[in-house]
């Protein structure tokens, strides 16, 4: 007859106690928690990186050697038979309207530019437009059906 009181897990013919379903569930839960924590840590790191990239974009300025780089880029493009170059690319979320006015080809799309993109546009307007260059912006991708990257192109 079995004695009253705590029962001991049965022993395996190989020796030692058998692992119980409760033990297996605990192992699975611990692994799932570890995977979840790892995913959360990765998401946090990616968000911090995106925030840093956005901050850099918002505070970036046109380089002092921009005129030389510009001249080299447009000359090289013309030598290849091209009539435009992409001068800046950035996420549409950096626009004040999320890229809506660019996506809808609205004439006031430059008003939605922020940070470095705005500085690029202002310099275009000041120096390149009077020289005969044209500028256009377009949404380059639609992840999940929403505007993704914006490309700003200079053409002649």
């Amino acid at each position: 007859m079995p004695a009253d009181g705590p029962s001991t897990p049965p022993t395996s013919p190989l020796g030692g106690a058998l692992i119980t379903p409760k033990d297996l569930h605990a192992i699975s839960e611990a692994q799932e928690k570890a995977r979840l924590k790892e995913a959360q840590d990765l998401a946090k790191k990616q968000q911090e990186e995106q925030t840093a990239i956005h901050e850099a974009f918002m505070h970036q300025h046109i380089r002092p050697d921009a005129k030389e780089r510009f001249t080299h880029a447009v000359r090289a493009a013309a030598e290849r038979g091209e009539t435009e170059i992409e001068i800046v690319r950035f996420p549409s979320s950096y626009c004040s309207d999320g890229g809506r006015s660019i996506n809808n080809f609205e004439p006031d799309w430059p008003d939605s530019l922020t940070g470095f993109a705005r500085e690029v546009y202002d310099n275009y307007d000041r120096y390149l437009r009077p020289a005969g260059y044209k500028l256009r912006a377009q949404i380059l991708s639609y992840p999940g059906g929403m505007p993704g990257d914006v490309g700003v192109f200079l053409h002649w």
Side-chain angles (χ1 to χ4, degrees):
M1 295 203 106
D4 288 347
S7 63
T8 58
T11 58
S12 162
L14 302 175
L18 284 175
I19 192 164
T20 67
K22 183 178 178 181
D23 297 332
L24 295 172
H25 288 295
I27 291 169
S28 293
E29 285 178 23
Q31 288 298 315
E32 183 61 29
K33 284 180 182 178
R35 282 191 290 274
L36 181 59
K37 170 114 173 67
E38 186 177 319
Q40 288 172 333
D41 290 347
L42 179 61
K44 181 180 177 186
K45 181 180 177 187
Q46 289 173 332
Q47 181 59 46
E48 288 169 352
E49 289 172 356
Q50 289 302 315
T51 299
I53 290 168
H54 182 255
E55 284 300 310
F57 181 83
M58 295 305 289
H59 296 98
Q60 180 179 352
H61 296 289
I62 293 177
R63 295 169 37 157
D65 64 344
K67 183 177 178 184
E68 293 80 20
R69 293 175 53 138
F70 167 78
T71 301
H72 175 74
V74 295
R75 180 181 301 275
E79 288 170 355
R80 291 188 304 268
E82 298 171 7
T83 59
E84 75 176 7
I85 59 170
E86 181 179 301
I87 57 173
V88 67
R89 179 185 292 229
F90 55 93
S92 61
S93 62
Y94 291 7
C95 293
S96 62
D97 65 357
R100 184 194 55 76
S101 60
I102 292 170
N103 192 42
N104 292 317
F105 306 102
E106 294 178 5
D108 63 344
W109 67 265
D111 295 341
S112 71
L113 299 177
T114 63
F116 183 64
R118 185 63 205 201
E119 185 171 332
V120 167
Y121 179 83
D122 289 344
N123 276 273
Y124 155 77
D125 201 35
R126 188 175 307 126
Y127 303 112
L128 301 177
R129 183 193 307 259
Y133 290 95
K134 305 257 188 272
L135 194 73
R136 69 179 178 84
Q138 74 180 62
I139 303 296
L140 302 175
S141 62
Y142 292 87
M146 298 301 291
D149 282 352
V150 172
V152 178
F153 298 86
L154 185 72
H155 57 104
W156 52 92

